[in-house]
Amino acid sequence: MKLQDLKSAWNQYSSTDASRHQLDESDLQNMLRKRTLGLIERIDRNIRIGFAIFVALSLFFILDDFVISPLLAGGTDIPTWIILINGISVLIIVGSFIYFYIAYSRAKNDYSQSNDLKHVLQSMVHIIHTYRRLFYWALGILLLVNCINFFTGLLTGIEAAASRYHVAIEDLDHRQLLRKTAAGMVILVILIAFLFFFFRWGFRKLYGRYVTQLEETLKELEE
Amino acid sequence: MEKEFVKIISENQGIIHKVCSIYCDSEEDRRDLFQEILAQLWKSYATFRNESKFSTWMYRVAINTAITSFKKIKRQPDQKSLEIESVQIENEEYDPEVEEQILLLHKAIAQLSGIEKSIVLLFLENKDYEEIAEITGITRNYVRVKMNRIKHKLKKQMDIEE
């Protein structure tokens, strides 16, 4: 067989195949309207969901500080340091989101499928790496806020116990206190480890192999 | 603008079908890829400024989309599971020899990398190295080197001569 034969066989096949799959203008229009999300659009959607979660969390913390906690405390004043810590948590969440938005927009700015292949591959790898960094950062912040809430809850509990028994904190049963604190910390560590590894597994399952293949293609192009 | 876009795509849709036929090994993947290429073309259409030929631009977006397609890679296509019926020539002038050549070609192409597939497609479409370089955005020298390697691979699998 000669290369030229191959070309003519291909031409014969490709024109038959194209006419077999031919779509009219209305099919194309329908396809454009019903189209599914591409990778970058899916990441955009995930970022929007992340933003909604951050807003909901911030609102929850604010609501907790000024409505839920005072109600549950039954008229007892919430210590200023707890309000301060929760305020800092909200600030961290809002600040992180602003940073996420700027970093992601910068990474996405350069992306278009009409660029040359190398440029497209580099942009996509950069977008996914930025998204991964932001994802882990968001996860870290959530876990940090969990830890802060655990410790503020623990300290508030100790103060409440001391005030219930009308004793100073130093006079509480230290062994029991230590046992309860240790048990709480073990649960916290297990919970944090579980959340971290679960989200990391999920991210790798979704994008891990894809990023590796994009990087391999880029490497092949740079040979 | 959408009407104008759909009209011009309708006239040139053969390019998308060719790219899909090289990169997909099932009708389902093919439909998905066609839709994704169409969406990417629509998104990039506003930036098309007639600096290159429309077909060059269309090949470029279609090939880039096929190479970076998320679904395609996620499914990990089994290169042995090529759907034989997808390559059959429904032509009045049915030629079993051509059919055989096409089957062999598809099997050989399935073994190539995404970049190699794009180069071999453009080569089969009679594009010269200059045009292949323009479409893919890679250097002419790289295209030449790659094409030699591809020919070597095809020769091994298909027993072809220069």
Side-chain angles (χ1 to χ4, degrees):
Chain A
M1 192 195 307
K2 287 190 175 172
L3 266 176
Q4 205 49 46
D5 296 336
L6 211 56
K7 279 187 182 180
S8 48
W10 167 257
N11 280 333
Q12 197 183 332
Y13 160 72
S14 63
S15 50
T16 315
D17 179 71
S19 48
R20 190 154 63 101
H21 289 93
Q22 182 85 11
L23 298 168
D24 60 30
E25 288 185 20
S26 62
D27 293 331
L28 291 170
Q29 239 150 5
N30 281 338
M31 228 179 210
L32 261 184
R33 281 183 200 127
K34 287 180 192 163
R35 71 193 178 87
T36 48
L37 297 178
L39 173 77
I40 302 297
E41 286 159 320
R42 278 186 224 176
I43 292 180
D44 282 352
R45 184 197 56 194
N46 292 348
I47 292 209
R48 277 198 299 275
I49 293 171
F51 173 61
I53 292 172
F54 273 160
V55 169
L57 266 179
S58 305
L59 286 176
F60 173 74
F61 287 134
I62 293 168
L63 202 72
D64 181 40
D65 281 353
F66 297 103
V67 182
I68 301 171
S69 293
L71 266 178
L72 290 177
T76 316
D77 283 341
I78 304 292
T80 319
W81 63 270
I82 290 184
I83 294 176
L84 257 175
I85 284 178
N86 284 344
I88 291 168
S89 301
V90 172
L91 275 181
I92 290 174
I93 289 172
V94 172
S96 302
F97 180 74
I98 294 170
Y99 168 73
F100 285 10
Y101 183 77
I102 295 168
Y104 182 71
S105 300
R106 269 191 197 161
K108 227 187 93 176
N109 250 351
D110 210 23
Y111 164 76
S112 163
Q113 287 285 8
S114 59
N115 288 331
D116 62 65
L117 180 58
K118 191 174 173 180
H119 200 141
V120 172
L121 286 165
Q122 282 169 336
S123 308
M124 291 192 82
V125 169
H126 182 52
I127 288 172
I128 298 171
H129 279 314
T130 306
Y131 178 51
R132 183 172 63 186
R133 211 174 56 237
L134 302 183
F135 176 83
Y136 281 120
W137 189 322
L139 184 60
I141 286 166
L142 281 180
L143 298 180
L144 179 74
V145 169
N146 267 348
C147 289
I148 291 172
N149 283 344
F150 171 78
F151 284 110
T152 52
L154 185 75
L155 289 172
T156 319
I158 294 171
E159 276 181 353
S163 109
R164 198 181 314 135
Y165 298 116
H166 304 289
V167 289
I169 290 174
E170 300 82 54
D171 297 330
L172 288 170
D173 182 351
H174 280 99
R175 286 180 71 183
Q176 198 186 14
L177 208 61
L178 270 173
R179 252 200 326 268
K180 284 186 175 166
T181 309
M185 282 185 75
V186 167
I187 293 170
L188 179 74
V189 168
I190 291 172
L191 185 75
I192 284 178
F194 171 75
L195 284 175
F196 178 77
F197 286 111
F198 176 73
F199 280 109
R200 194 176 74 150
W201 172 82
F203 193 93
R204 285 187 175 183
K205 181 124 182 96
L206 269 177
Y207 302 107
R209 196 162 60 192
Y210 180 67
V211 177
T212 309
Q213 295 208 18
L214 285 182
E215 283 170 340
E216 277 170 7
T217 311
L218 196 56
K219 210 169 139 192
E220 187 187 339
L221 211 54
E222 284 166 349
E223 265 173 8
Chain B
M1 191 160 118
E2 193 182 303
K3 263 191 170 179
E4 175 198 289
F5 170 77
V6 167
K7 191 172 183 298
I8 197 164
I9 293 297
S10 174
E11 285 161 6
N12 293 279
Q13 62 178 291
I15 291 175
I16 313 180
H17 290 304
K18 282 169 188 170
V19 171
C20 290
S21 105
I22 284 279
Y23 282 91
C24 299
D25 47 16
S26 75
E27 282 297 316
E28 195 195 348
D29 276 349
R30 196 179 164 135
R31 261 193 309 276
D32 289 348
L33 184 59
F34 189 96
Q35 201 167 22
E36 207 176 328
I37 291 173
L38 187 68
Q40 290 300 337
L41 284 166
W42 172 236
K43 270 189 181 173
S44 314
Y45 186 59
T47 59
F48 173 65
R49 291 189 186 92
N50 291 311
E51 282 159 3
S52 56
K53 279 195 288 183
F54 186 77
S55 60
T56 302
W57 172 81
M58 212 172 145
Y59 265 119
R60 174 179 276 209
V61 175
I63 286 171
N64 285 350
T65 308
I67 290 177
T68 57
S69 165
F70 185 52
K71 281 180 186 168
K72 173 81 179 164
I73 289 166
K74 201 175 73 176
R75 276 193 198 133
Q76 270 295 297
D78 175 6
Q79 293 177 335
K80 287 173 195 155
S81 70
L82 179 74
E83 284 180 3
I84 305 298
E85 65 271 19
S86 70
V87 299
Q88 282 180 356
I89 298 169
E90 291 169 0
N91 198 316
E92 285 168 9
E93 296 162 23
Y94 176 78
D95 182 349
E97 201 183 322
V98 174
E99 170 93 19
E100 176 67 25
Q101 284 171 353
I102 289 298
L103 274 173
L104 277 173
L105 179 65
H106 261 272
K107 277 182 186 162
I109 287 174
Q111 309 297 319
L112 302 176
S113 71
I115 295 171
E116 289 172 334
K117 280 178 184 170
S118 69
I119 294 173
V120 85
L121 166 71
L122 297 168
F123 170 78
L124 290 170
E125 286 296 303
N126 262 328
K127 307 279 180 203
D128 58 29
Y129 290 166
E130 189 74 50
E131 281 177 284
I132 298 177
E134 196 192 344
I135 290 168
T136 53
I138 51 187
T139 63
R140 232 178 79 174
N141 199 34
Y142 181 87
V143 174
R144 192 179 48 77
V145 172
K146 269 281 177 199
M147 198 57 230
N148 283 335
R149 282 188 208 161
I150 295 167
K151 279 179 188 168
H152 186 71
K153 282 186 189 178
L154 293 180
K155 266 184 210 167
K156 259 188 176 175
Q157 292 179 53
M158 299 181 64
D159 188 29
I160 52 170
E161 304 159 27
E162 288 283 345

